[in-house]
Amino acid sequence: MTPTVVRKSSVLFIFVVVLIDVIGFGLIIPVVPRLVMELTGEGLSRAAIYGGWLWFAYAVTQFFSAPVLGNLSDRLGRRPVLLFSLAALGVDYIIMGFAPTMSWLFLGRTLAGIAGASFIPAYAYLADVTPPEKRAQNFGIVGAAFGLGFIIGPALGGFLGTLGPRVPFFFAAGLALANVVWGFFVLPESLPKESRRAFDIRRANPLGALMHIRQYPLVPTVAAAIFFWQLAQQAFPSTWSYYTMFRFHWTEREVGASLAFVGLVMALSQGLLSRVVIPRFRERRSAMVGMLVGCCAYTGFAFASSGWMMYAWMTGWLVAALVYPSLNAIMSQRVPANAQGELQGAVASLYSLASVVGPLLMTHLFGSFSSPDSSIHLPGAAFLCSALLVCVCGALFVTAIRRVPATSAVAAESVGVAGH
C-alpha cells in the first residue's frame, strides 16, 4: 500500500471516529437545560448558572489532563490514547443518564474531563500522516466531522428529548462505546516507535507544555490568539440553549434543529471551503477574514430580535470556521514531528482553560442580564462579550504575523527532532 493511500485511509478513520464522538456530544446539548431544571427545580436563568458550573467541572479537570494525554500519545502512540478517551466518554454518559442528583452530573463531567477528548490525539494523528503544507486542509476535515456531528447529534437529541431528558444520554453512551469497538479493529497506529520520545512529567502539565512550545517562532502569540478565539466560542455550548429558549421560546426540538444548522455550516466550511479557500488565500489571510466575520456574527446574535436572525447570522460561520484550522496549521508547521502531540496537548489545555473561564463568564452574563431583577435587560450579553474577545484575538494575531514573515516557516519537519 502506498503512503498516499495510507494517509487517505487514516484521514477517513479519524473523520469517522470524531464524527461518532461528536454526534454523542451533540445529542445531550438540547436536553441539559431541562435535566438541570428537573434536578434543581430552578428556572432557565438560574439553571444556566448551574450549567456553567457543570462545564467548569469538565474543563478544569481536562485542563490538567490534556497535556498528559498529549504527551502520552507522543510516548505510547495515538491509537491507545484515542480509544481510552472514547471509552471514558461512554462511561460518563451512562453516569449522567442515571444521575439522581446534580452531584452525579458533576461526577460524570469530572470523569469525562479527566479522560480528555478525542480531538487531542486526533489532531496529532493527522499531523503524523499529513505533510506540513496540507495540514490546514486535513485539520479542516476534523472540523467537518465536528460540524456534521452537530448536524446529526442535536437534531437527534432534540427528537429523543421528547421521550425524556435522559434518553439521549444512554443513546450517546451506546455510540461512544460502539466507537471504541470500531476503532479497536480498524484504526492503525500512526506514530512509528522510532519517532516516539520518553514521557517527561515536566512537559506533561499545563504550564510545562505551554512553556515548552515557547521555543518555536510565532507559536506562543498565535496560541494566545487561539485562547481568546476559543474563549469567545464558549458562548455557543454554554448559553445557546438557554438563550434561545428564553428569548425566542424555542423547544428542545427547535434548539436541536438550530444546532444542526450550526453543524451544517461548520461541515461545509471546514470540509469543503477549507480545502479551497485556505490553499488559495493561505492561512494568515483566511484567519484574519474569518475573525472579522466572526466578530460581526457574534454581535448579530446579541441583538437578534427574532429566531430567523440567528440562522441568518450563523451563515457567517462559513468563513469564521476557517480561523481555528488556519491558526492550528500555522503552529503545527513550526513544530517537529515528535512534538506534535505535545503541541496539540498544549492547545487542548488552552481550550480547557477557556472552558474553565468561559462557561462561568457566559452563563453568569446571561443569567444576570436576563434576570427580572437586572437594571439592564440584555440576554445577548454573552455574545456581545464574545465579539469583544474576537477583537483581542485579532490584535494578538496581527502582532504575531508582523514579527515573523510568512516565508519563514520553521524547518522543524526536516531538521528537527534534535533536543526532543
Side-chain angles (χ1 to χ4, degrees), residues 167-194:
V167 174
F169 288 94
F170 296 116
F171 195 93
L175 283 179
L177 296 177
N179 207 4
V180 175
V181 175
W182 184 86
F184 182 83
F185 288 105
V186 304
L187 188 67
E189 179 55 62
S190 65
L191 187 65
K193 290 186 178 180
E194 61 270 17

Side-chain angles (χ1 to χ4, degrees), residues 68-389:
V68 175
L69 290 179
N71 277 267
L72 282 174
S73 77
D74 286 338
R75 174 66 182 91
L76 303 175
R78 318 303 184 197
R79 183 176 180 274
V81 177
L82 181 59
L83 294 180
F84 168 76
S85 296
L86 296 174
L89 281 177
V91 175
D92 163 52
Y93 292 137
I94 292 173
I95 291 175
M96 294 185 73
F98 282 112
T101 64
M102 285 297 298
S103 298
W104 282 90
L105 285 185
F106 279 105
L107 174 63
R109 296 319 291 155
T110 300
L111 174 62
I114 292 173
S118 62
F119 66 85
I120 301 168
Y123 276 114
Y125 193 110
L126 287 180
D128 293 337
V129 300
T130 308
E133 68 275 7
K134 293 185 178 180
R135 283 180 186 160
Q137 296 97 300
N138 281 343
F139 286 164
I141 287 291
V142 174
F146 274 89
L148 188 56
F150 268 98
I151 295 173
I152 302 171
L156 183 57
F159 171 75
L160 292 174
T162 62
L163 304 176
R166 298 174 186 270
V167 174
F169 288 94
F170 296 116
F171 195 93
L175 283 179
L177 296 177
N179 207 4
V180 175
V181 175
W182 184 86
F184 182 83
F185 288 105
V186 304
L187 188 67
E189 179 55 62
S190 65
L191 187 65
K193 290 186 178 180
E194 61 270 17
S195 297
R196 300 179 189 181
R197 62 174 176 83
F199 180 83
D200 186 348
I201 191 63
R202 292 171 298 178
R203 295 167 65 172
N205 65 80
L207 294 180
L210 292 172
M211 293 292 287
H212 198 266
I213 65 173
R214 292 190 309 165
Q215 65 182 293
Y216 306 112
L218 189 143
V219 170
T221 310
V222 175
I226 281 184
F227 168 75
F228 282 99
W229 178 257
Q230 292 172 328
L231 184 60
Q233 287 194 310
Q234 293 304 312
F236 281 118
S238 59
T239 67
W240 181 275
S241 297
Y242 299 96
Y243 176 66
T244 54
M245 286 179 175
F246 179 89
R247 190 162 179 79
F248 311 117
H249 306 290
W250 284 359
T251 64
E252 286 92 344
R253 184 172 291 188
E254 288 172 313
V255 170
S258 69
L259 290 171
F261 183 76
V262 172
L264 175 62
V265 171
M266 294 285 193
L268 289 174
S269 174
Q270 298 195 9
L272 297 177
L273 289 183
S274 66
R275 305 183 74 82
V276 176
V277 174
I278 295 178
R280 180 173 180 178
F281 296 102
R282 308 309 301 166
E283 290 87 352
R284 296 185 177 202
R285 192 174 299 173
S286 299
M288 284 301 302
V289 175
M291 291 175 198
L292 177 62
V293 175
C295 183
C296 294
Y298 280 128
T299 304
F301 292 144
F303 294 104
S305 58
S306 181
W308 68 265
M309 294 181 180
M310 302 296 284
Y311 283 88
W313 282 111
M314 182 47 62
T315 59
W317 239 251
L318 286 168
V319 179
L322 300 176
V323 172
Y324 182 76
S326 296
L327 296 182
N328 202 357
I330 288 171
M331 293 192 299
S332 180
Q333 291 164 3
R334 290 164 170 78
V335 173
N338 68 349
Q340 291 293 330
E342 179 179 49
L343 171 64
Q344 297 307 325
V347 172
S349 290
L350 290 173
Y351 174 78
S352 298
L353 183 59
S355 298
V356 170
V357 178
L360 291 179
L361 171 64
M362 301 303 180
T363 54
H364 275 77
L365 284 172
F366 169 76
S368 298
F369 285 95
S370 65
S371 171
D373 300 327
S374 175
S375 58
I376 301 176
H377 186 73
L378 184 60
F383 290 106
L384 194 59
C385 176
S386 293
L388 297 175
L389 291 170

